[in-house]
Amino acid sequence: MLASLLMTAGGGAQAAEPVAPAALEPVANWYMTAPILGMTVGVTRPGEPPLIAAWGHLDAARSVPAAPGTVYEIGSITKTFTAALVLRRVDQGRISLEDPASRWLPELRQAAPRVTIRHLLAHTSGLASNPVFEDLSRPVSANDLLRALRERPVEFEPGARFRYNNNGYALLGLILEREAGLPYRAQLQRELLGPLGLENTEPCEFEDPDRPTGFDHGYRTAPRPVPHPRHHPDASGPAGLLCSTAGDLLRWQAALMGGAVLAPATLARMVEAQTLADGSATPYGLGIYVDADGERLHHGGAVSGFITQMAWRPRDRMGVVVLTNGVYSGALVERLEQDLGRVASGGSWAAPLDLPVAADDLEGLTGVYRIGDVGLEVFVVDGHLRARPDGQVATRLLHLGDGRFQAEHDPATTLTFLPNGDLLLERAGRALPPGRRAP
């Protein structure tokens, strides 16, 4: 059931036709069959009231509907806030992108002598990227973080590779605290949340019975959504501690990309894809992903069963936000955001092909297939095949015809069930050796 809310109009030139909830509904309804438990989406374009709409429910019993104002954990979208605080210090001349991190963190002088602020922002530091603790319900202190990064070997030389690194953003939060002599949360409130009127954005509380629950819908151990273990906000800290709403994130995007937060030259640095030591480009700027053509700037998040995505299209000055509390794939949520953006820009959309298959025929394809050293379990849920590699999430398979299926979360991945009982898996046109079904 669709719920929508039209909010205060923004500035800019009037668009030809305002986005209507009905235009988004076919896209959202198809993705709800993934299934997504509950979601809230938002779209803003110049000269129009931002549109916020919600589908689905916040609980597995389907008794609490998702709403336009629902608060979600936003995970790594928090990094855009942390990066903005650091870049404001650059604007003020208090921090340089080329400062060594050890200027503020002398504890890392031996372990990371050549890591700079830029490396931390761009995920190119080479510092250990694994979580400090395997148990993400435990808070991580500054001492825990620094000790772990001193003791663990570096993964590569600074600037040599891109590897997403939550620990690097936790260090940035600590650098902000030491430079200003003020807690990260206080800086966030004083400089961004308060001035921009983001009244529904704040650090998540670990024990908050009023906050929605995130769900695990990966079919790892159960065929239906089950509550996901809640991560402690201080397990990720400045890398992912915030809760927010679609409306607040639309406002945040518009303020950040509209020049209300950073100087123009600094914003341009933020949204420029960074370059590695060998001259190749990464997919990331300084706190945000940058598509190859620069036409889409985006960041997602995944925490405690919540999967989120936020994107800005500079040419159209259009923002799109997708917040969910129960789906199995971040890539699927990103595709949903892209499809919503396409429709909101006036483009066309058609549901992916998924031809019917008789129930008996589906059952005949189930089993465990061995592809090299990897096991791939194929099973049926709600009339659809799903495929689950060892230790991973099960993706729904869409039937393209003649025994050929497409991975729902990744159209470049196809699985073909051959007449001899083997399984052929292809990724972007490259085929792996055929998989044999275990007896």
Side-chain angles (χ1 to χ4, degrees):
M1 179 178 179
L2 169 68
S4 65
L5 173 68
L6 299 181
M7 299 171 63
T8 305
Q14 181 67 37
E17 290 188 22
V19 182
L24 306 182
E25 194 158 7
V27 180
N29 284 340
W30 187 84
Y31 278 91
M32 287 298 296
T33 69
I36 294 175
L37 189 65
M39 69 176 176
T40 303
V41 307
V43 178
T44 183
R45 302 196 308 181
E48 297 180 13
L51 168 65
I52 302 180
W55 287 263
H57 295 79
L58 302 178
D59 61 334
R62 301 177 64 85
S63 61
V64 182
T70 296
V71 174
Y72 295 79
E73 295 190 41
I74 64 171
S76 286
I77 292 177
T78 302
K79 291 182 174 67
T80 64
F81 292 83
T82 300
L85 285 175
V86 173
L87 292 172
R88 284 171 66 86
R89 301 292 177 272
V90 173
D91 278 343
Q92 296 157 3
R94 295 160 57 180
I95 285 178
S96 166
L97 290 175
E98 311 314 325
D99 278 346
S102 59
R103 174 185 175 189
W104 310 103
L105 306 172
E107 298 94 331
L108 297 182
R109 192 165 286 137
Q110 296 299 318
R114 291 182 297 279
V115 172
T116 66
I117 301 294
R118 183 189 296 273
H119 290 139
L120 296 176
L121 284 167
H123 298 292
T124 58
S125 70
L127 294 173
S129 56
N130 289 336
V132 173
F133 299 125
E134 290 187 12
D135 179 4
L136 295 179
S137 68
R138 293 177 59 183
V140 174
S141 69
N143 287 336
D144 295 329
L145 176 67
L146 293 169
R147 182 174 60 253
L149 295 180
R150 284 197 307 269
E151 295 174 353
R152 297 178 183 180
V154 297
E155 297 174 351
F156 51 85
E157 284 296 309
R161 294 169 57 187
F162 169 84
R163 179 171 292 174
Y164 196 81
N165 193 329
N166 285 321
N167 293 332
Y169 269 73
L171 289 179
L172 288 169
L174 184 55
I175 288 170
L176 286 167
E177 292 187 341
R178 291 188 176 181
E179 189 279 332
L182 191 68
Y184 169 83
R185 295 180 183 217
Q187 294 184 53
L188 193 64
Q189 179 63 40
R190 184 180 68 180
E191 296 195 36
L192 299 178
L193 306 185
L196 296 176
L198 304 181
E199 297 178 354
N200 298 305
T201 304
E202 61 183 0
C204 303
E205 295 295 334
F206 184 50
E207 296 181 355
D208 180 358
D210 297 326
R211 193 169 84 242
T213 297
F215 285 83
D216 185 349
H217 214 155
Y219 302 98
R220 292 184 180 91
T221 57
R224 295 291 180 267
V226 294
H228 194 290
R230 183 166 284 184
H231 296 173
H232 198 289
D234 289 330
S236 55
L241 59 68
L242 286 177
C243 284
S244 189
T245 62
D248 267 17
L249 289 180
L250 289 176
R251 282 188 284 272
W252 165 239
Q253 274 199 124
L256 178 62
M257 297 303 169
V261 177
L262 301 173
T266 307
L267 178 60
R269 286 179 173 182
M270 182 183 195
V271 301
E272 180 182 9
Q274 295 296 291
T275 302
L276 298 176
D278 64 3
S280 61
T282 78
Y284 205 81
L286 302 176
I288 199 159
Y289 280 95
V290 182
D291 279 4
D293 56 7
E295 291 295 320
R296 179 170 163 268
L297 309 168
H298 58 102
H299 215 297
V303 60
S304 303
F306 296 85
I307 298 182
T308 60
Q309 185 69 214
M310 177 181 82
W312 179 261
R313 290 161 175 78
R315 177 182 296 177
D316 299 326
R317 290 170 54 210
M318 181 177 75
V320 180
V321 170
V322 178
L323 307 176
T324 75
N325 75 321
V327 66
Y328 69 90
S329 166
L332 195 63
V333 173
E334 185 171 355
R335 283 185 57 210
L336 167 58
E337 172 269 310
Q338 291 174 299
D339 286 343
L340 290 171
R342 185 177 298 112
V343 170
S345 297
S348 61
W349 176 85
L353 181 65
D354 186 18
L355 300 174
V357 185
D360 288 347
D361 292 339
L362 286 180
E363 289 293 342
L365 302 176
T366 62
V368 177
Y369 296 79
R370 302 300 306 181
I371 303 176
D373 295 331
V374 177
L376 183 73
E377 182 185 6
V378 177
F379 55 97
V380 176
V381 174
D382 295 335
H384 276 88
L385 280 186
R386 283 188 176 265
R388 174 172 51 203
D390 288 341
Q392 299 184 38
V393 175
T395 184
R396 187 169 67 164
L397 303 181
L398 308 178
H399 187 217
L400 305 180
D402 298 325
R404 188 164 178 260
F405 293 78
Q406 181 183 79
E408 179 181 45
H409 75 290
D410 181 9
T413 298
T414 60
L415 297 87
T416 303
F417 295 86
L418 303 175
N420 67 356
D422 288 352
L423 173 64
L424 182 65
L425 192 150
E426 298 174 89
R427 175 74 172 82
R430 296 182 59 185
L432 295 178
R436 302 262 177 185
R437 182 160 47 181

